[in-house]
Amino acid sequence: MIDIEQLRSEFPILATEVNGHPLTYFDNGATNQKPQSVIDALSGYYKGYNSNVHRGAHALADKATQAFEHTRELLKEFVNAPKTEQIIFTKGTTEGINLVANTYGRANLQAGDEVIVSTMEHHSNIVPWQIVAQEKGATVRNIPISDEGEIIFEEFEKMLSDKVKIVSIVHASNALGTVNPVERIIEKAHEIGAVVLIDGAQSAAHLPIDVQALNCDFFVTSAHKMFGPTGMGFLYGKEDILNDMPPFMGGGEMIKEVSFDGTTFNTLPYKFEAGTPNIADTVAYAKAIEFINRYGKENIAAREKELLDYATKKLIEEVPTAKIIGTSSNKVSVLSFIIENIHNYDIGMMLDARGIAVRTGHHCTQPLMARYGLEGTVRASFSVYNTFEEIDNFIEALKRIVKMFG
Amino acid sequence: MSVATKSIEEVQNDIIDDFDLLDGDRESTIFYIMELGQELPAIDETHMVDENLIKGCQSKVWLTTDFVDGHVIFNADSNTDITKGLISLLIRVLNGRTPLEIMNADLFFFEKIGMNGVIGSQRSNGFASMIKQMKFYALAYSAKN
Ligand SMILES: Cc1ncc(COP(=O)(O)O)c(C=O)c1O
């Protein structure tokens, strides 16, 4: 059991006020708040040992390099990667997908080939594939989803053929909450020889991740959705595939030897880490992982599920004009809904007047919104530090809004 | 639609007085704007076409005009009540004015009622686009006249 008061006290922002009300932060799907340890690690690096990594032969450089590589070790354990070198630092999920699309995708896609994504993908897992597919004469196809917001597995199976080279699927949907059956998807895709990328932006902090058990070829995520800093994340890849891939960007640590006759590239993971990396945020990322490990991902997930179930039940019972979008029985803590006759923007703004932060709009999933014939939804996404009282206030606020305008 | 009887300045002062009654309470202010939005008559669906959309608004806002006896008549609609409430305020100030009055209008009420802080920067930009579009129509009518 988590001591919630104690956990909340680690997050300074949760004690602040917004518009004269205590902050209620239900926009965790977009990014979540940071514990003091992460915030301290950022300034600690700049105050105590700011230095470039892997270059200097002095004490500060050594300390910075050690802290930087420590994060890689922690991440290796966090996702159970076979080797540390398979963890490649990126700016986040979007950069991870772009890296794979531009290297693996560009090297392996040919005219007539197919990339399969799903209808519920974030734009970050659609557009990079479209760009490369267009260049190569390949096509990007999407798996249809049911009214409940689940991938229609039989349709996916029908799409599989030897033309399919890449399957890129979101682990948990940011707009619906649906957790996809990625193990089965990976297995089926491998049967026809395709490689599979898992977009773990919404799963890394909420679901157990074991890349070896999943047997995915690539896994990408963002630190800022796991209590860590923004502009930071990582890509995991299978070793042989990563070794075969051409580099993404050139310069800096990714080089072994350069001459004007030609350049040889560094080994993993440095081959894919061009330029001076985001050292401070990488170092602080370690504290975020330590935070998750300290409380235990199972405990965090269990609490989030309780919050989701409570909020879902209350919304259905007390706001009858609300319609939940995404009703899969297997969800992360995302409650997405619309309310009859009231625009989602207006709801968001009225909640904000009471200090309640939710996301409104299309959530960067326009094809998904089109699937439901919606312009957008209101999305409340919960994190471990949210409380049942906050949900009560949120439902009260919604009831007031409906009474005034529904 | 009759010609406006109060000056643009007077109508703006009336709006400022109305908002003063809300005492700066954010929630009441938003509720009030939404109410104004709901009170503004809907425009005919045939006018809800892309060419009548105001560019630069995050929400959809359709604006149409008529020109009657030298005065501009505005009609507007939106897919969100808050945005519709905002444009209803502009209509209250600018409806039935001559093109010259509209073009020269100094619109100070928005800042005076502290609306920037309430609706956020994106919607404030949208509000500026509404004013621009209304002045643009006035300019077009003045050129025709
Ligand atoms: C499912 C999913 N994929 C990708 C992204 C993009 O993540 P980032 O902006 O950190 O690159 C997000 C962020 O909202 C997401 O929810």
Side-chain angles (χ1 to χ4, degrees), chain A residues 42-278:
Chain A
L42 284 168
S43 63
Y45 162 76
Y46 284 120
K47 280 189 205 157
Y49 55 102
N50 171 46
S51 187
N52 213 330
V53 290
H54 300 303
R55 289 178 180 77
H58 53 82
L60 290 191
D62 194 43
K63 190 165 179 200
T65 304
Q66 276 187 29
F68 182 82
E69 291 301 329
H70 175 62
T71 302
R72 210 188 300 272
E73 289 289 339
L74 286 182
L75 286 172
K76 168 199 180 267
E77 281 158 33
F78 193 77
V79 298
N80 190 32
K83 287 184 179 174
T84 317
E85 299 89 284
Q86 289 169 273
I87 303 293
I88 291 148
F89 291 133
T90 64
K91 280 198 306 194
T93 308
T94 305
E95 191 181 65
I97 298 168
N98 275 280
L99 192 160
V100 176
N102 280 285
T103 57
Y104 186 88
R106 188 166 283 142
N108 290 284
L109 287 173
Q110 291 175 0
D113 284 347
E114 292 176 355
V115 178
I116 293 184
V117 299
S118 83
T119 304
M120 68 175 88
E121 298 309 318
H122 190 279
H123 296 164
S124 294
N125 196 23
I126 301 174
V127 183
W129 300 116
Q130 285 177 329
I131 293 171
V132 177
Q134 194 176 21
E135 189 185 302
K136 294 286 170 182
T139 37
V140 179
R141 300 180 65 199
N142 60 308
I143 312 167
I145 62 167
S146 68
D147 290 344
E148 292 75 30
E150 292 178 348
I151 279 178
I152 304 173
F153 204 81
E154 303 75 59
E155 295 295 327
F156 168 62
E157 287 182 299
K158 277 189 220 154
M159 291 163 76
L160 293 172
S161 74
D162 57 7
K163 284 194 247 167
V164 179
K165 296 295 180 309
I166 298 163
V167 177
S168 194
I169 295 288
V170 71
H171 199 172
S173 158
N174 65 313
L176 304 170
T178 313
V179 177
N180 285 316
V182 288
E183 298 84 350
R184 285 168 66 207
I185 290 171
I186 293 163
E187 207 180 309
K188 281 283 162 200
H190 283 167
E191 280 173 20
I192 51 134
V195 300
V196 184
L197 181 145
I198 300 298
D199 170 352
Q202 299 291 338
S203 67
H206 309 274
L207 303 170
I209 307 292
D210 180 334
V211 290
Q212 295 190 65
L214 278 175
N215 196 21
C216 56
D217 302 283
F218 302 106
F219 182 90
V220 292
T221 194
S222 303
H224 70 99
K225 294 180 201 280
M226 7 182 351
F227 309 104
T230 55
M232 182 69 225
F234 74 92
L235 157 72
Y236 156 84
K238 281 190 179 157
E239 191 181 15
D240 51 341
I241 300 181
L242 289 176
N243 273 327
D244 284 347
M245 271 157 48
F248 180 34
M249 289 191 281
E253 197 56 37
M254 56 82 66
I255 273 120
K256 191 181 268 166
E257 254 180 296
V258 183
S259 78
F260 284 101
D261 297 329
T263 295
T264 51
F265 302 116
N266 207 337
T267 50
L268 292 175
Y270 308 113
K271 176 171 132 185
F272 294 108
E273 292 179 0
T276 296
N278 186 348

